[in-house]
Amino acid sequence: MRHFVDTQKKVFAFSPDNAPAVSVNSGDEVVFETLDCFSNQIKTCEDKLESLDWNQVNPATGPVFVNGAEPGDVLEIQIVDIKVNNQGVMATGKGLGPLGGKFEGYYTKIVKVENSKAIFNDLELDIEPMVGVIGVAPKEGTINCGTPGSHGGNLDTRYIKKGARVFLPVSVKGGLLALGDLHALMGDGEVCGTGIEVAGEVRTVVRVRKNLSLKNPMVVSEGIVFTLVSSKTLDEAVKEAVGDMFEFVMSRTNISPEELVMLFSIVGNTEISQVVDPLVTTRFSMPVDILERLGVSI
């Protein structure tokens, strides 16, 4: 069955108390209409960050209650397609990103999107649409949509794109899935504080996985498996992301721990997703074909 969730159904925080926008079954198609991360408040270069209603920042469309999803399960979200609007926005300035100390004020830029190209001054850049925010409700409490964590949230990982499968650990009945914060293009790190922020539409298929157990998000994209961890420091996030991959593979194969770490060291990669959110997000990656040859399937 196909479901459509429009931008009237949105949240600004992940919470077990959020009322579901729709209930779906495992295997259903769900299309999410999304606002950009500023709730479409920036229309021109004259619209500055200082004038925004910050209570309207980082909306996520949803949440979606997935029938049959129970705590301890995993939601698998297949990103079937992403469509982005023809105008995006970027912003940077004082205190934003690693170079935020170089600026005194704030700067916004409108970026046109035409024929699958982002027009940045005289540069025509191939777009790679991706989902910045995707998550489920935590077991208790509230986590704003701008913060990443074990529930997902503002992961800002450029591999969450068309063809990807995102795996999120379920903490509450139904999961309460929501997503938003599309980027037409974003590099690892998102170092100015934004990618090309854009409204659009994401077509997904949502499944309940009873045969998986995860502590943190996992992504399979472009023939690569990524374990994602968000933490206060890059060191902490890297250590846990590598540890998550280690536990995942060790529970599914008979390779020795010593040889697995050696394998990680020659074909695995430690990578940065973003360094600008309240917590930083890193990922550890392994090729799908290597894992399959070890007898590991996802």
Side-chain angles (χ1 to χ4, degrees):
M1 183 174 290
R2 188 175 189 268
H3 308 267
F4 182 80
V5 189
D6 63 33
T7 55
Q8 297 300 311
K9 311 280 186 12
K10 60 183 180 293
V11 296
F12 294 93
F14 292 94
S15 168
D17 298 324
N18 288 335
V22 64
S23 294
V24 307
N25 293 321
S26 180
D28 282 359
E29 181 178 290
V30 185
V31 178
F32 297 82
E33 180 187 40
T34 67
L35 302 171
D36 71 23
C37 76
F38 301 116
S39 288
N40 298 356
Q41 295 181 81
I42 296 178
K43 306 291 187 184
T44 72
C45 291
E46 284 67 48
D47 297 324
K48 302 299 184 183
L49 294 183
E50 303 95 310
S51 62
L52 294 186
D53 178 355
W54 284 89
N55 291 321
Q56 298 295 309
V57 169
N58 272 322
T61 302
V64 171
F65 186 101
V66 185
N67 295 320
E70 301 287 346
D73 294 340
V74 168
L75 279 190
E76 175 187 337
I77 304 96
Q78 178 184 353
I79 309 296
V80 178
D81 197 14
I82 303 175
K83 296 179 180 178
V84 296
N85 289 5
N86 61 6
Q87 177 169 293
V89 61
M90 298 189 71
T92 194
K94 185 177 181 180
L96 296 177
L99 301 180
K102 294 184 176 295
F103 307 108
E104 291 301 320
Y106 298 98
Y107 179 80
T108 54
K109 183 176 184 66
I110 300 299
V111 180
K112 295 292 185 181
V113 178
E114 300 173 354
N115 300 318
S116 298
K117 303 281 187 180
I119 313 302
F120 190 99
N121 297 338
D122 294 329
L123 300 174
E124 293 189 4
L125 306 172
D126 292 332
I127 64 171
E128 296 183 28
M130 52 157 286
V131 179
V133 171
I134 182 168
V136 292
K139 181 179 180 179
E140 55 188 10
T142 297
I143 303 175
N144 70 69
C145 291
T147 300
S150 59
H151 69 294
N154 199 14
L155 295 168
D156 280 331
T157 296
R158 64 185 178 91
Y159 288 96
I160 302 178
K161 60 201 296 187
K162 180 179 179 178
R165 292 185 292 152
V166 182
F167 299 84
L168 300 171
V170 175
S171 295
V172 300
K173 188 177 180 66
L176 297 180
L177 170 69
L179 64 79
D181 184 32
L182 304 187
H183 303 128
L185 190 61
M186 190 198 84
D188 285 338
E190 198 183 21
V191 296
C192 89
T194 68
I196 300 177
E197 311 292 333
V198 65
E201 187 177 282
V202 183
R203 184 157 60 97
T204 71
V205 174
V206 181
R207 299 181 178 92
V208 178
R209 295 289 298 268
K210 300 286 186 180
N211 60 336
L212 277 180
S213 178
L214 299 175
K215 294 186 297 183
N216 291 295
M218 178 179 285
V219 174
V220 178
S221 182
E222 297 187 341
I224 305 171
V225 180
F226 302 91
T227 48
L228 274 59
V229 171
S230 303
S231 192
K232 291 181 179 179
T233 70
L234 288 173
D235 285 350
E236 292 172 354
V238 166
K239 183 176 181 179
E240 189 171 351
V242 177
D244 280 359
M245 185 71 78
F246 180 85
E247 296 297 334
F248 181 77
V249 177
M250 283 298 298
S251 66
R252 290 165 171 78
T253 186
N254 58 5
I255 191 171
S256 73
E258 294 83 2
E259 290 191 341
L260 181 57
V261 172
M262 290 177 184
L263 187 61
F264 281 2
S265 197
I266 57 176
V267 297
N269 289 292
T270 297
E271 305 167 4
I272 295 172
S273 288
Q274 60 77 26
V275 294
V276 295
D277 296 335
L279 299 175
V280 298
T281 303
T282 68
R283 56 185 190 262
F284 185 71
S285 69
M286 284 287 290
V288 168
D289 66 323
I290 296 292
L291 294 181
E292 288 178 343
R293 286 154 68 184
L294 294 175
V296 178
S297 60
I298 304 171

